[in-house]
C-alpha cells in the first residue's frame, strides 16, 4: 500500500488569553506514512480513534521555559494528551494487533510507539495501557467517563472529600466533563447536590439529574444562592476565583474543599486572577482544602473504578454526556467551546468510531 | 473589711479599623466589691493575676448581631478572655481557697464564679480549670506559653502539619506570641526554619533562636526571599493575605499549610482584604490547607502539652518572650501594639504577680 496522509495537530501559537480556534493549533496534512512498510524496530503502530480535550491543556500553552504542572506544548510540534486507539501493526508482545490502547498519545491519526512510555512525558501514570471493554462501550468513552474525566469524578467522592450520606455537596462547572459525572455519582450516593453552571439549558439538565439546587453563574448571584441552599459540607471546585470565595463564605463547619481545577484563571496571567479575600474563614468553619490530581489516586482506586463504572454505564444508570467534535481539524473550536462553557459534558475529538 | 474598688475593662466602642488605645476600652473603677461579705451561694471568688490579649479578640469587636467565631463583645460590658487568678473565697468543693485557676474570665480585678463555666461562652474548652504548677513558673505564663498561645504552637507541630525532621517550615509573624514558641519548638525538632517578622530587632532575635532564614516583611520582598530560602514543606500562618500568596507560590510538593490566624485582615472589612490569586497552585504543588483552632486539639494533646512544656521552660530550654503591660488600664495600648507588631512575643496584662 502506498503512503497515506498522517494528519497531525500542531501547536502553532501561544495564546495570551482565550485560545483562538483558528490560530492556536495547526491542522497539518503534510506528513505521509507508509503504514505497511514503516519499520517497527520492536515497537507498534496505533491508529487513533479519539482524543481528549481538557482544561489542564491550557496550562501547557505557554513558553517552553516557563514552569508549569506538565511540560509545555512545543511550537510547531504535535501536541500530546489522552487518546485511545487500536494497534494495527506490532512487534511488541505487550501490544498485540487488534488491541485497544489508551494513555498519552501524540495527536495524529497514526502514532508509532517505540515503547509504551514514549508519549508519557516521563509520568508513568500517563503511559499507554491495553484497555478492556467487556461491555462493548464506545471506545471514545475511554478518554471521557472511563478515562481521566470519570476517574477524577470518582476519586473526588472517595476519602479526598470524605462524603457522608445526606451531606450537602456543591459542584462547580457541574455541566462540564467531570461535573456531570460527579453530579450523577453524588446523587446516587445520597448526597444533596448544589450545582453551578453557565446556562439555563445546562441548569435544566442538572435538575433532571437530581441536583437539589442549581445556580446559573451568569444570571444568579452565587453568594445569595449558596446562602439559600447551603451550608456546604463538600465543595468540588473546577472554577476557582469568586466561586471559591462564595463557597468559603457558605461553608458548613468541618467542610472539605477539593480543588480539581480553576478554569476561571486559566486564560490570563495569574496576577489578573480574582483574589480570594476570605481565606480566614478556613479557620472559622474549620475548612480543609485539598488538591485532587487524578494520577495521585490511581494506585488506590483505579482498579475499583474499572470494576464498577463501566457496568454502571452499560446498565444506563450512569450517563455519558459528550460534546463530540469530528477530526483533528475541529480541535481549536472544541477547545474554545470547552473553556468558555459553550459545550456540555466531555469534549472529545473522534477520529474514527472503530 | 469595707468594700474595695473592683476595676474592670469595659468595651466602649466598635473600632472600624485599628482599635484605638484610648477609645476602644474603658478602664472603669466605679464598681466596688465587699470581698469578705459578698454572698457566694455555692460559688467562689477569684482575684485576677493576669489576662491575655490575643489577636482573635479583634473579631469580637463587632456589632452584636454580626456573625463571628466567638460571641461579640457587648458595648459597655466587661470584656472576656483568657485569664489566670487565685481563689480567695469559696463554697465550691472543686475550687478551694488558694487554688490557682485559668480559663475564660471577665477582665476585672475580682471575678465571681457561680460555677466554673460562667464565663466560658458556652464553649466547654474555655471553662475555668485548676492549674498545677510543679515548677513554680510565673502564673502569667498560664495565659501565654503555658496557655492558648503555647498550646497553639505545640499543636501546630503535631499531625496538623505532619512535620518530618529536616523539612523546611515557614512561620509568619514569627516574633509574635505563637511564633516565638513555634520557632523554638521547630528548631528543637530538627526543622529548618524560615521566619518572617516586622523589624530588624525581631529578625535578630529570630536568628538567635536558630531560624535559618529571616524575612523582614517591611523591608524585604517576601516573594524573592521565599524563592531564595524555600521551597516550603510546612507553613504555619498567622498573617494571611500576601504572605499566604507568597508561601503558596513557593510551596514544595505535598506542602502542608496551617492557618492559625490572619492578622493582616483583622482591622478592616473582609472585602478590603488582600485577595489571594494563586490558589490554583494548591493543585500544582499538592498543598493541603488546614485550620488550626486550639480548642479542637485539647482532647488529643493537652495532657501531653502539660507533661512536657512546663519542664522545658523550667529547664531554660524553651524561653518565654513577653510584652508585659501592668494593670487593666494598659489594655488598649497593649492591644494596639500587639496588632501593629510594636510588641514582641506574648502580650499579657499583669494585675498582680501573686
Amino acid at each position: 500500500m502506498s503512503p497515506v496522509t498522517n494528519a497531525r495537530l500542531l501547536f502553532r501559537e501561544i495564546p495570551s488569553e482565550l485560545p483562538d480556534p483558528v490560530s492556536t493549533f495547526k491542522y497539518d496534512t503534510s506528513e505521509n506514512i507508509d503504514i505497511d512498510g514503516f519499520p517497527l524496530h520492536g515497537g507498534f503502530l496505533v491508529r487513533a480513534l479519539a482524543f481528549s480535550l481538557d482544561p489542564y491543556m491550557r496550562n501547557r500553552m505557554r513558553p517552553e521555559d516557563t514552569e508549569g504542572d506538565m511540560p509545555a506544548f512545543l511550537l510547531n510540534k504535535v501536541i500530546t494528551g489522552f487518546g485511545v486507539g487500536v494497534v494495527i501493526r506490532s512487534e511488541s508482545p505487550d501490544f498485540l494487533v487488534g488491541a485497544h490502547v489508551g494513555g498519552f498519545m501524540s495527536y495524529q491519526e497514526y502514532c508509532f510507539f517505540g515503547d509504551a512510555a514514549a508519549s508519557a512525558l516521563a509520568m508513568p501514570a500517563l503511559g499507554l495501557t491495553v484497555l478492556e471493554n467487556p461491555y462493548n462501550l464506545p471506545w471514545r468513552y475511554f478518554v471521557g467517563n472511563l478515562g481521566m474525566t470519570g476517574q477524577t469524578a470518582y476519586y473526588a467522592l472517595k476519602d479526598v472529600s470524605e462524603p457522608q450520606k445526606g451531606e450537602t455537596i456543591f459542584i462547580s462547572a457541574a455541566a462540564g466533563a467531570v461535573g456531570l459525572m460527579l453530579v450523577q455519582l453524588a446523587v446516587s450516593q445520597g448526597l444533596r447536590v448544589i450545582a453551578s453552571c453557565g446556562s439555563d439549558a445546562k441548569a435544566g439538565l442538572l435538575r433532571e439529574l437530581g441536583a437539589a439546587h442549581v445556580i446559573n453563574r451568569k444570571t444568579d448571584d452565587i453568594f445569595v444562592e449558596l446562602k439559600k441552599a447551603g451550608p456546604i459540607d463538600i465543595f468540588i471546585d473546577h472554577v476557582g476565583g469568586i466561586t471559591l470565595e462564595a463557597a468559603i463564605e457558605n461553608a458548613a463547619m468541618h467542610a472539605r474543599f477539593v480543588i480539581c481545577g480553576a478554569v476561571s484563571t486559566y486564560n490570563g496571567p495569574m496576577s489578573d486572577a480574582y483574589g480570594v479575600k476570605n481565606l480566614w474563614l478556613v479557620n472559622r468553619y474549620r475548612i480543609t482544602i485539598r488538591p485532587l490530581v487524578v494520577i495521585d489516586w490511581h494506585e488506590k482506586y483505579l482498579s475499583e473504578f474499572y470494576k464498577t463504572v463501566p457496568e454502571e454505564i452499560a446498565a444506563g444508570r450512569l450517563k455519558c454526556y459528550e460534546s463530540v467534535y469530528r477530526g483533528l481539524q475541529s480541535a481549536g473550536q472544541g477547545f474554545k467551546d470547552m473553556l468558555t462553557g459553550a459545550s456540555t459534558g466531555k469534549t472529545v475529538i473522534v477520529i474514527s468510531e472503530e
Side-chain angles (χ1 to χ4, degrees), chain A:
Chain A
M1 195 171 130
S2 55
V4 297
T5 300
N6 189 8
R8 307 178 302 161
L9 191 65
L10 308 181
F11 182 51
R12 175 155 56 185
E13 181 184 85
I14 296 172
S16 59
E17 298 179 1
L18 190 66
D20 182 84
V22 175
S23 60
T24 303
F25 299 121
K26 181 181 182 188
Y27 177 68
D28 176 77
T29 56
S30 66
E31 194 178 86
N32 295 322
I33 181 168
D34 176 1
I35 293 173
D36 301 312
F38 188 94
L40 294 179
H41 300 299
F44 57 100
L45 189 63
V46 168
R47 178 168 58 78
L49 299 175
F51 293 109
S52 182
L53 292 183
D54 300 289
Y56 81 87
M57 298 167 91
R58 177 64 183 85
N59 176 262
R60 302 184 63 193
M61 300 176 179
R62 62 178 198 269
E64 195 183 341
D65 57 355
T66 309
E67 278 187 272
D69 280 76
M70 293 179 74
F73 287 145
L74 301 181
L75 284 169
N76 303 312
K77 302 287 183 189
V78 181
I79 71 160
T80 56
F82 288 99
V84 61
V86 58
V87 178
I88 56 171
R89 278 181 61 211
S90 177
E91 292 175 355
S92 163
D94 299 323
F95 293 86
L96 303 179
V97 170
H100 287 79
V101 295
F104 248 54
M105 292 170 60
S106 292
Y107 282 34
Q108 54 191 42
E109 293 178 342
Y110 297 94
C111 201
F112 171 69
F113 291 83
D115 61 71
S119 291
L121 304 174
M123 300 171 85
L126 304 181
L128 213 63
T129 58
V130 173
L131 302 174
E132 293 179 26
N133 189 5
Y135 299 98
N136 278 313
L137 297 170
W139 289 105
R140 67 176 187 277
Y141 283 12
F142 285 85
V143 296
N145 278 27
L146 292 179
M148 185 187 72
T149 301
Q151 289 151 16
T152 300
Y154 192 84
Y155 301 167
L157 292 181
K158 293 290 175 176
D159 31 3
V160 66
S161 64
E162 302 167 23
Q164 302 293 317
K165 200 172 169 173
E167 285 191 322
T168 295
I169 186 171
F170 172 38
I171 298 163
S172 65
V178 176
L180 279 173
M181 179 145 167
L182 254 176
V183 170
Q184 296 179 75
L185 290 171
V187 168
S188 75
Q189 292 177 23
L191 298 168
R192 179 176 164 271
V193 174
I194 306 171
S196 71
C197 63
S199 76
D200 286 343
K202 290 178 177 179
L205 172 59
L206 291 164
R207 276 190 207 96
E208 274 172 38
L209 292 175
H213 192 99
V214 181
I215 301 168
N216 180 335
R217 67 177 165 78
K218 291 186 180 163
T219 54
D220 295 328
D221 181 322
I222 194 164
F223 288 87
V224 170
E225 294 301 313
L226 287 180
K227 186 152 181 83
K228 266 193 252 169
I232 302 158
D233 297 300
I234 300 168
F235 178 36
I236 314 287
D237 190 21
H238 307 99
V239 173
I242 203 165
T243 303
L244 178 52
E245 188 174 85
I248 291 173
E249 185 171 300
N250 290 286
M253 287 299 290
H254 304 290
R256 289 83 65 197
F257 279 35
V258 180
I259 309 294
C260 280
V263 72
S264 72
T265 72
Y266 290 169
N267 293 304
M270 208 174 277
S271 56
D272 287 353
Y274 180 88
V276 175
K277 294 176 176 175
N278 61 357
L279 281 164
W280 169 238
L281 296 178
V282 160
N283 263 51
R284 176 160 162 207
Y285 298 128
R286 314 293 202 268
I287 305 169
T288 301
I289 302 178
R290 296 189 180 95
L292 174 56
V293 178
V294 67
I295 56 174
D296 297 352
W297 294 88
H298 282 333
E299 190 177 335
K300 188 161 184 189
Y301 289 118
L302 187 59
S303 86
E304 178 185 312
F305 173 85
Y306 278 123
K307 268 185 210 134
T308 55
V309 174
E311 187 181 354
E312 292 292 302
I313 293 174
R317 289 189 294 269
L318 191 57
K319 294 190 181 66
C320 294
Y321 294 92
E322 302 171 295
S323 291
V324 173
Y325 294 78
R326 304 269 162 196
L328 285 168
Q329 59 273 51
S330 64
Q333 189 62 47
F335 200 80
K336 185 186 175 192
D337 291 348
M338 175 183 64
L339 286 185
T340 57
S343 53
T344 300
K346 176 67 193 179
T347 300
V348 60
I349 301 175
V350 170
I351 308 301
S352 163
E353 295 289 349
E354 183 50 49

